[in-house]
Amino acid sequence: MVAVIRDNEETPAPALDPDRIPRHVAIIMDGNGRWAKQRGLPRTEGHRQGKENLRRIVEACVEFGVEILTIYAFSTENWERPPSEVNALMSILELVLNQEVKRLHKNGVRVCHIGKMDGVAPHLQEKIRKAVELTRNNDRLILNVAFNYGGRDEIVHAVQEIVRSGMPAEEITDEVISQHLYTRGIPDPDLIIRTSGELRVSNFLIWQGAYSEYYVTPVYWPDFDKEELRKALIEYGRRRRRFGKIDEQVEQES
Ligand code: IPE
Ligand code: IPE
Ligand code: MG
């Protein structure tokens, strides 16, 4: 029998181990501007392509069995970009809220928001609240949108709430602080992915990411597709999380 070998036959993607899928994945969706610049396009086109990519990645997360996906959509520092870019980003968010939420709802995705509403246009605030309300009973995937989010702002907000409650200083614990963050009730991210190669946190989940695994890829966000996500999850599966302990202890616990 003659074996037919095709030159361009794709090698199958390595399988994902269902026991090593991160429960909570967080993504710093970075590189839209550079993606556009590389193609001689306006930065806003990069943001538009980024929005399209988000849809694909949400679907891939459902397929791979990720339970929670947190995305960094707009930071408290992003207000300092040129007004035309800020306006374009707000319009894209509005498009997502107008067009994508129904689809997400149909697919069983629960939308949550982390960040502050102060500074967000009232009509957008209303649409965010409605999206959260509409999808609140869905349980296929939690899509946690970090919009007008900053890790330092979140901690300041938590401290203010705790002080206002009159809680005695000695009662303030890790747990108490966690319960006053925007992410209260959501487990810490297992894996934080940053696209576009930057090696920094940029004020994202600075408390919650204390023991998260980090994965940085040079791929720009609009090109970060399902196969790129698969690579990140495979790499996560190879990591050994020690949480400050030694290997032997971790082995005994598992
Ligand atoms: C990420 O892409 C999107 C937002 C920050 C809203 P950038 O706009 O930061 O793209 P680069 O980093 O300039 O390429
Ligand atoms: C982080 O990206 C914020 C988002 C992806 C929404 P930035 O592009 O704003 O981060 P820096 O400025 O490069 O640190
Ligand atoms: Mg950037």
Side-chain angles (χ1 to χ4, degrees):
M1 197 173 139
V2 180
V4 179
I5 297 167
R6 281 184 227 106
D7 279 352
N8 59 354
E9 201 162 29
E10 279 181 31
T11 40
L16 280 171
D17 178 349
D19 294 333
R20 300 189 77 94
I21 297 287
R23 184 174 174 206
H24 181 177
V25 174
I27 307 184
I28 304 176
M29 310 183 293
D30 199 13
N32 295 350
R34 278 164 285 166
W35 181 93
K37 195 171 174 196
Q38 220 176 37
R39 290 164 175 75
L41 298 168
R43 289 178 59 87
T44 47
E45 189 50 33
H47 296 314
R48 259 190 289 276
Q49 291 302 323
K51 169 176 87 72
E52 293 302 307
N53 194 44
L54 178 60
R55 189 188 299 153
R56 294 190 280 267
I57 291 300
V58 167
E59 282 166 14
C61 280
V62 172
E63 187 185 324
F64 291 153
V66 171
E67 289 174 37
I68 305 162
L69 171 65
T70 297
I71 49 161
Y72 204 5
F74 192 87
S75 74
T76 45
E77 288 73 38
N78 287 148
W79 293 108
E80 285 158 46
R81 292 189 177 196
S84 58
E85 176 152 346
V86 171
N87 289 338
L89 286 165
M90 294 300 145
S91 304
I92 288 171
L93 173 78
E94 195 169 352
L95 270 182
V96 171
L97 291 166
N98 291 340
Q99 298 172 351
E100 304 288 331
V101 169
K102 270 190 225 117
R103 188 191 173 96
L104 291 167
H105 184 45
K106 224 174 80 199
N107 289 332
V109 177
R110 177 176 174 189
V111 179
C112 299
H113 168 242
I114 56 169
K116 57 178 176 178
M117 287 292 199
D118 292 3
V120 177
H123 73 284
L124 278 183
Q125 291 190 24
E126 190 51 31
K127 286 184 183 182
I128 294 169
R129 283 197 196 96
K130 279 197 173 141
V132 170
E133 181 55 32
L134 175 73
T135 61
R136 61 196 287 251
N137 294 320
N138 294 341
D139 59 6
R140 266 188 101 193
L141 175 82
I142 293 178
L143 176 63
N144 205 16
V145 184
F147 176 77
N148 197 15
Y149 173 87
R152 287 187 176 185
D153 164 69
E154 182 180 40
I155 292 168
V156 168
H157 178 261
V159 171
Q160 287 175 342
E161 268 191 9
I162 296 166
V163 170
R164 256 188 237 118
S165 75
M167 181 178 279
E170 53 285 358
E171 285 178 23
I172 300 173
T173 59
D174 252 41
E175 196 45 42
V176 167
I177 293 178
S178 294
Q179 279 164 5
H180 284 85
L181 298 175
Y182 298 131
T183 51
R184 70 188 71 99
I186 297 173
D188 290 341
D190 300 296
L191 172 66
I192 298 182
I193 297 172
R194 183 163 193 156
T195 60
S196 92
E198 304 297 354
L199 297 175
R200 56 176 171 266
V201 179
S202 301
N203 208 6
F204 187 50
L205 302 179
I206 54 179
W207 173 277
Q208 301 86 338
Y211 271 103
S212 303
E213 295 297 322
Y214 278 86
Y215 176 89
V216 176
T217 169
V219 175
Y220 295 144
W221 170 248
D223 290 333
F224 185 85
D225 60 10
K226 182 176 160 187
E227 290 318 304
E228 292 297 333
L229 177 65
R230 188 196 301 275
K231 280 190 218 163
L233 300 189
I234 288 171
E235 166 64 23
Y236 172 82
R238 292 194 192 110
R239 301 272 178 95
R240 188 175 272 264
R241 304 180 75 185
R242 281 185 286 270
F243 299 96
K245 300 179 186 171
I246 64 167
D247 279 340
E248 286 73 8
Q249 291 172 295
V250 177
E251 269 153 31
Q252 265 172 20
E253 283 167 6
S254 63

